[in-house]
């Protein structure tokens, strides 16, 4: 998509949450991939946390970041599948003011080109919560690449045209 080089780039402060019962910081490849892409795009890593698949803990961490003025956006990786332990979408729904259904739809469309019908097992989702964007991606490095490279890289770039999420940030809490 087109980038308007005449416009200023506005870095976004992004918190990263990895949801996993088995990963730690030493082996969080999807989180590492996401953090590298955030830095390569010129954004700021506001914080990074790894939590187990626990809906209450995930929602509480999301709430902390949503209420933190140093965080503009949250990207999670993991916990979006269909098994009993996958509860990230439920945590996102708990904090959401407005869901962004097109995010999950577009993610699955992009993912379909790579993994075919297996993409229906993903419950990738996004919302606006008290003026903060929350994007939930699956836990594989491929899914993180698809979500960042195919959607978030452009939508979190203030120069992207015809429109982007960044230009809407000042208006997210208006009534």
């Amino acid at each position: 998509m087109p980038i308007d080089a005449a416009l200023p780039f506005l870095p976004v402060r992004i918190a990263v949450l990895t949801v996993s019962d088995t990963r730690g910081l030493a082996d969080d490849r999807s989180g590492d991939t996401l953090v590298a892409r955030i830095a390569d795009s010129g954004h700021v890593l506001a914080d990074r946390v790894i939590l187990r698949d626990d809906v209450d803990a995930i929602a509480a961490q999301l709430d902390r970041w949503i209420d933190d003025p140093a965080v503009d956006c949250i990207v999670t990786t993991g916990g979006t599948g269909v098994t009993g332990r996958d509860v990230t979408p439920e945590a996102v729904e708990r904090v959401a003011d407005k869901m962004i259904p097109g995010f999950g739809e577009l993610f699955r469309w992009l993912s379909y080109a790579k993994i075919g019908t297996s993409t229906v097992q993903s419950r990738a989702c996004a919302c606006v919560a008290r003026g903060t964007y929350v994007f939930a991606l699956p836990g594989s490095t491929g899914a993180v690449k698809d979500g960042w490279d195919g959607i978030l890289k452009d939508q979190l770039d203030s120069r992207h045209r015809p429109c982007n999420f960044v230009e809407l940030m000042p208006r997210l809490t208006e009534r």
Side-chain angles (χ1 to χ4, degrees), residues 17-25 27-31 49-54 58 76-80 85-88 139:
L17 173 62
T18 298
V19 177
S20 176
D21 286 340
T22 59
R23 292 186 207 152
L25 199 52
D27 61 350
D28 180 18
R29 291 189 355 232
S30 60
V49 170
I50 299 175
L51 291 176
R52 295 178 58 79
D53 294 89
D54 177 295
I58 297 164
T76 73
T77 174
T80 63
R85 297 285 301 152
D86 292 319
V87 294
T88 302

Side-chain angles (χ1 to χ4, degrees), residues 86-175:
D86 292 319
V87 294
T88 302
E90 287 76 15
V92 170
E93 288 171 5
R94 280 191 189 180
V95 302
D97 294 324
K98 290 185 178 185
M99 296 303 293
I100 307 172
F103 178 83
E105 294 162 1
L106 179 55
F107 173 83
R108 284 180 285 280
W109 180 78
L110 292 168
S111 179
Y112 179 78
K114 297 185 178 155
I115 65 169
T117 60
S118 295
T119 194
V120 301
Q121 296 177 29
S122 165
R123 297 185 303 140
C125 61
C127 75
V128 175
R130 300 188 306 276
T132 301
Y133 289 113
V134 180
F135 303 100
L137 297 171
S140 72
T141 56
V144 166
K145 290 174 185 177
D146 290 346
W148 185 268
D149 299 346
I151 306 170
L152 294 175
K153 181 180 77 164
D154 287 337
Q155 282 298 298
L156 294 177
D157 190 324
S158 56
R159 304 163 301 170
H160 181 265
R161 293 291 165 248
C163 57
N164 60 74
F165 283 136
V166 178
E167 66 190 359
L168 299 175
M169 285 180 174
R171 299 179 46 214
L172 292 177
T173 59
E174 69 187 10
R175 297 279 176 224

Side-chain angles (χ1 to χ4, degrees), residues 12-81:
V12 176
R13 297 166 301 194
I14 303 171
V16 173
L17 173 62
T18 298
V19 177
S20 176
D21 286 340
T22 59
R23 292 186 207 152
L25 199 52
D27 61 350
D28 180 18
R29 291 189 355 232
S30 60
D32 291 342
T33 299
L34 187 53
V35 167
R37 279 172 160 66
I38 288 167
D40 290 346
S41 296
H43 298 296
V44 176
L45 179 65
D47 199 6
R48 181 178 180 182
V49 170
I50 299 175
L51 291 176
R52 295 178 58 79
D53 294 89
D54 177 295
V55 69
D56 294 325
I58 297 164
Q61 182 62 59
L62 295 176
D63 275 328
R64 280 190 290 278
W65 282 334
I66 291 163
D67 291 335
D68 185 345
V71 175
D72 300 314
C73 173
I74 301 163
V75 183
T76 73
T77 174
T80 63

